[in-house]
């Protein structure tokens, strides 16, 4: 591109930029702005790479991050605990595409639908990055006509949110889901999901926790009994769901702002601030306003059964029936629950606190029953009831990383290092490490032909490698090898033929 052509394009870019700015100032429709922004980007692309003009910034995209070997080691350890629990309960695992047809995700997330990442038309299909793992699972069940499945899925999801890195809010993050699909007797699968939450949070040892339980039918019944119009149920749910973060006065103000009469909001407030156990369920069933409501009554009866099962599973001391729990997603139809860390030595951002100081951390798991979601994808509307839970894995990762800040974390699993104090031993080191690999032993060696022994041993100490196989000309002539315990620095000479057995014995001890 010549200088004259470049100047002309730059002038057009300037004019088009003014058009875009004006449209944004006038708050024009998004689709109109998007068209003009596309024109601007096309003009900028015509300039190509101009080293003199471009300033390349080396950074991860906004709302995303890289993970160090230490962070990945901590994450893999936590995921191992979680996956072991899922498998202990008989779950299969699946995977789905990172993007879905846009219409698959439309109208599934209530007010949060605005956070879905739309993709441009690709090959004739309007696509969007997955927002969670639940809707893709429902699509998978409907598409493959699967009537029952117990599955787990751990993968990244994407939200076009305004990122707040210091508060743990990202545009790309992992979700960790467990779901049970199928027609079963009431509350048996639901109770197992809550038992799984209990096992995982207990196993990870990240602090004390409490599991809050409610039912969407109870909330809908309360709204109806108090005079809330049905078309405002979901909107009011979103407002009530903020009670764990905001005082009732602020939630009440939001409900009124969204069109609810003040006296109706006050009646709703009387109920949604209640929490307790079986006694509260009985009291609400006897309540003349709520107990006579068909939706609320059905939900309360199921909660009563659920609490009995949780007592049998030994987790009732960690659970409570809490009417403030709403969970904002539109697809929930019945029981909903959320696990809250009540005490931890670090907060939800991973900030460590003084010894003995505890701090509320917030939600680390949530889920519920969504009996209508699969049917929404089926041409004949055939329903497959589902219940599941999503572990707040990113928040858990942040806590575990902060807890490990002052600890040495091994970032590899090398068991044996092959070393030599002499030069020209590269071939012999290769022969020995091949034997170790063939025997399934995790082994490393230096990539230098003639490394210094001190450097080799120092690497083992810094990396936490427990054993070293050392070879020299003397050992080779006698058919022996020397095994060194890195921690104790004790050394023993063993026959080469017995090397594998000796290493395994020491690794197991």
């Amino acid at each position: 591109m010549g200088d004259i052509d470049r100047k002309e394009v730059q002038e057009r870019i300037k004019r088009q930029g003014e058009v875009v700015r004006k449209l944004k100032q006038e708050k024009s429709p998004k689709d109109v702005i998007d068209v003009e922004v596309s024109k601007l980007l096309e003009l900028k692309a015509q300039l190509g790479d101009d080293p003199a003009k471009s300033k390349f910034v080396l950074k991860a995209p906004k709302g995303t991050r890289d993970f160090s070997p230490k962070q990945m080691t901590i994450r893999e350890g936590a995921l191992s605990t979680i996956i072991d629990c899922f498998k202990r309960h008989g779950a299969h695992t699946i995977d789905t595409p990172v993007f879905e047809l846009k219409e698959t995700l439309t109208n599934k997330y209530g007010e949060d639908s605005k956070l879905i990442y739309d993709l441009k038309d690709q090959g004739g299909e309007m696509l969007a990055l997955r927002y969670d793992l639940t809707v893709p699972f429902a699509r998978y069940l409907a598409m493959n006509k699967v009537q029952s499945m117990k599955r787990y899925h751990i993968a990244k999801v994407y939200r076009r949110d305004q990122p707040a890195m210091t508060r743990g809010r990202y545009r790309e993050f992992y979700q960790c889901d467990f779901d049970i699909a199928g027609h079963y007797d009431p509350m048996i699968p639901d109770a197992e999901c809550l038992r799984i939450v209990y096992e995982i949070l207990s196993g990870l040892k990240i602090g004390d926790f409490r599991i809050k339980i409610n039912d969407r039918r109870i909330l809908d019944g309360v709204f109806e009994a108090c005079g809330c119009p049905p078309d405002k149920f979901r909107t009011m749910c979103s407002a009530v769901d903020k009670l764990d973060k905001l005082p009732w006065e602020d939630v009440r103000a939001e409900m009124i702002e969204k069109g609810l009469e003040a006296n109706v909001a006050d009646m709703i407030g009387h109920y949604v601030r209640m929490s307790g156990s079986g006694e509260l369920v009985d009291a609400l069933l006897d309540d003349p306003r709520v107990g006579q409501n068909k939706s609320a009554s059905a939900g309360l009866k199921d909660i009563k059964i659920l609490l009995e099962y949780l007592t049998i599973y030994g987790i009732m001391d960690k659970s409570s029936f809490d009417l403030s729990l709403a969970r904002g997603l539109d697809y929930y139809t019945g029981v909903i629950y959320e696990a809250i860390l009540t005490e931890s030595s670090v907060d939800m951002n991973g900030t460590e606190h003084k010894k003995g100081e505890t701090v509320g951390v917030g939600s680390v798991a949530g889920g519920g029953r969504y009996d209508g979601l699969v049917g929404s994808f089926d041409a004949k509307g055939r329903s497959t009831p589902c219940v599941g839970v999503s572990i707040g894995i990113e928040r858990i990762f942040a806590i575990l990383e902060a807890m490990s800040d002052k600890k040495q974390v091994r970032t590899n699993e090398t068991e044996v290092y092959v070393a030599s104090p002499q030069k020209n031993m590269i071939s012999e080191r290769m022969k020995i490490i091949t034997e170790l690999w063939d025997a399934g032993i995790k082994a490393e060696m230096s990539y230098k032909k003639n490394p210094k022994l001190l450097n080799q041993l120092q690497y083992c100490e810094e990396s936490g490698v427990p054993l070293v196989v050392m070879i020299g000309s003397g050992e080779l002539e006698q058919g022996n090898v020397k095994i060194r315990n890195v921690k104790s620095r004790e050394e023993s000479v063993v026959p080469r033929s017995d090397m594998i057995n000796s290493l395994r014995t020491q690794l197991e001890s």
Side-chain angles (χ1 to χ4, degrees):
M1 183 181 288
D3 289 342
I4 296 176
D5 292 339
R6 179 175 290 278
K7 287 180 181 179
E8 182 181 341
V9 173
Q10 288 172 336
E11 186 60 34
R12 290 171 63 189
I13 288 173
K14 184 178 179 181
R15 290 197 298 270
Q16 186 63 24
E18 291 171 354
V19 171
V20 171
R21 279 191 293 275
K22 186 176 179 181
L23 288 173
K24 288 183 176 179
Q25 289 171 355
E26 294 173 351
K27 296 185 178 179
S28 300
K30 183 177 181 299
D31 55 347
V32 174
I33 295 174
D34 287 346
V35 170
E36 299 303 324
V37 169
S38 296
K39 292 178 183 178
L40 178 61
L41 293 174
E42 288 173 6
L43 287 169
K44 288 183 176 180
Q46 291 180 29
L47 291 179
D49 293 325
D50 182 4
K53 299 290 183 183
S54 63
K55 292 183 179 179
F56 179 67
V57 179
L58 195 62
K59 72 179 194 68
K62 187 178 182 182
T64 66
R65 53 184 172 159
D66 298 317
F67 299 102
S68 69
K70 180 179 177 180
Q71 289 173 311
M72 287 306 299
T73 300
I74 294 167
R75 285 169 170 252
E76 288 178 352
L79 289 176
S80 177
T81 298
I82 293 168
I83 292 171
D84 284 349
C85 178
F86 291 161
K87 289 182 175 180
R88 187 163 59 247
H89 287 263
H92 309 274
T93 186
I94 67 167
D95 196 13
T96 61
V98 73
F99 47 80
E100 295 276 351
L101 295 177
K102 184 179 176 181
E103 60 187 295
T104 299
L105 305 182
T106 303
N107 300 323
K108 303 296 191 301
Y109 304 107
E111 294 182 1
D112 286 344
S113 291
K114 63 182 181 293
L115 302 181
I116 293 173
Y117 259 117
D118 289 347
L119 303 177
K120 288 185 178 180
D121 187 324
Q122 300 289 331
E125 294 182 329
M126 297 303 293
L127 306 174
L129 292 177
R130 62 187 173 202
Y131 178 90
D132 69 359
L133 301 178
T134 305
V135 171
F137 175 55
R139 189 266 305 156
Y140 174 92
L141 294 175
M143 192 176 81
N144 293 286
K145 297 180 170 54
V146 177
Q147 293 296 306
S148 66
M149 175 181 270
K150 188 187 294 184
R151 84 86 169 89
Y152 73 88
H153 190 185
I154 300 171
K156 287 182 177 180
V157 298
Y158 301 85
R159 298 188 181 177
R160 193 169 52 84
D161 204 351
Q162 186 59 35
M165 310 292 266
T166 57
R167 287 186 290 167
R169 185 185 298 158
Y170 299 93
R171 289 179 167 177
E172 176 192 64
F173 55 94
Y174 274 98
Q175 280 197 339
C176 185
D177 284 15
F178 175 95
D179 295 82
I180 301 173
H183 294 267
Y184 303 107
D185 289 332
M187 299 299 102
I188 299 175
D190 310 64
E192 184 166 4
C193 286
L194 291 168
R195 170 71 195 191
I196 283 168
V197 173
Y198 170 85
E199 289 180 15
I200 288 172
L201 295 182
S202 298
L204 291 172
K205 295 180 175 60
I206 53 175
D208 199 13
F209 61 92
R210 188 148 199 84
I211 303 171
K212 299 195 295 186
I213 303 162
N214 200 6
D215 193 302
R216 268 289 177 81
R217 293 168 297 173
I218 298 173
L219 279 175
D220 287 352
V222 167
F223 293 153
E224 183 181 8
C226 292
C228 176
D231 62 347
K232 293 188 182 297
F233 282 6
R234 295 286 76 86
T235 304
M236 293 307 114
C237 259
S238 295
V240 170
D241 199 40
K242 297 173 184 175
L243 274 172
D244 63 332
K245 305 179 187 70
L246 299 174
W248 162 247
E249 289 73 20
D250 291 353
V251 173
R252 178 182 184 274
E254 180 179 331
M255 295 169 79
I256 294 171
E257 185 181 330
K258 289 180 175 179
L260 199 65
E261 294 181 10
N263 65 317
V264 175
D266 289 335
M267 279 191 283
I268 291 173
H270 168 70
Y271 291 104
V272 297
R273 287 181 284 174
M274 292 180 175
S275 64
S277 55
E279 292 81 2
L280 177 58
V281 176
D282 292 335
L284 289 170
L285 283 170
D286 292 336
D287 184 283
R289 181 182 287 124
V290 174
Q292 300 301 314
N293 182 276
K294 184 178 179 180
S295 174
S297 177
L300 287 165
K301 288 174 182 176
D302 274 352
I303 288 288
K304 190 175 179 69
I305 296 170
L306 179 61
L307 297 182
E308 290 174 3
Y309 291 161
L310 297 186
T311 301
I312 296 170
Y313 279 153
I315 63 173
M316 196 55 225
D317 63 321
K318 294 288 186 182
S319 308
S320 67
F321 172 40
D322 192 324
L323 272 78
S324 71
L325 180 64
R327 297 195 63 79
L329 298 177
D330 277 2
Y331 51 64
Y332 288 123
T333 58
V335 169
I336 50 177
Y337 35 81
E338 193 167 81
I340 307 293
L341 272 196
T342 56
E343 290 184 353
S344 179
S345 60
V346 293
D347 64 22
M348 61 172 284
N349 309 316
T351 303
E352 190 168 0
H353 295 269
K354 295 177 182 177
K355 187 176 181 180
E357 180 183 359
T358 56
V359 58
V361 177
S363 172
V364 287
R369 179 159 285 279
Y370 51 102
D371 289 346
L373 191 55
V374 177
S376 71
F377 293 120
D378 191 284
K380 297 181 180 179
R382 288 168 296 201
S383 175
T384 301
C386 296
V387 63
V389 64
S390 181
I391 306 299
I393 194 66
E394 292 291 348
R395 189 166 286 183
I396 289 170
F397 286 156
I399 295 167
L400 290 172
E401 286 167 16
M403 290 169 66
S404 70
D405 274 350
K406 295 180 180 179
K407 300 176 184 175
Q408 185 176 7
V409 176
R410 281 201 67 187
T411 56
N412 67 24
E413 297 182 7
T414 304
E415 297 170 311
V416 178
Y417 193 91
V418 180
S420 174
Q422 297 175 341
K423 293 183 179 180
N424 303 320
M425 299 294 287
I426 181 65
S427 298
E428 295 302 327
R429 284 192 286 134
M430 285 182 167
K431 289 176 184 177
I432 285 184
I433 203 168
T434 301
E435 285 185 49
L436 300 180
W437 289 337
D438 288 343
I441 293 174
K442 299 165 186 172
E444 279 188 279
M445 70 176 192
S446 172
Y447 293 129
K448 291 186 176 182
K449 279 188 175 182
N450 299 308
K452 293 181 179 179
L453 180 61
L454 182 61
N455 292 343
Q456 296 172 84
L457 296 179
Q458 188 172 354
Y459 171 81
C460 294
E461 290 185 0
E462 292 173 353
S463 302
V465 180
L467 299 176
V468 180
V469 171
M470 294 197 294
I471 51 170
S473 56
E475 284 82 16
L476 287 175
E477 290 171 4
Q478 297 169 17
N480 297 327
V481 296
K482 187 181 291 182
I483 299 177
R484 178 186 175 96
N485 184 302
V486 175
K487 189 174 182 180
S488 67
R489 301 188 179 182
E490 294 178 356
E491 296 180 353
S492 58
V493 177
V494 301
R496 174 78 170 267
S497 58
D498 194 42
M499 176 182 68
I500 299 298
N501 289 334
S502 181
L503 287 170
R504 282 179 172 155
T505 299
Q506 293 193 49
L507 288 170
E508 289 170 2
S509 62

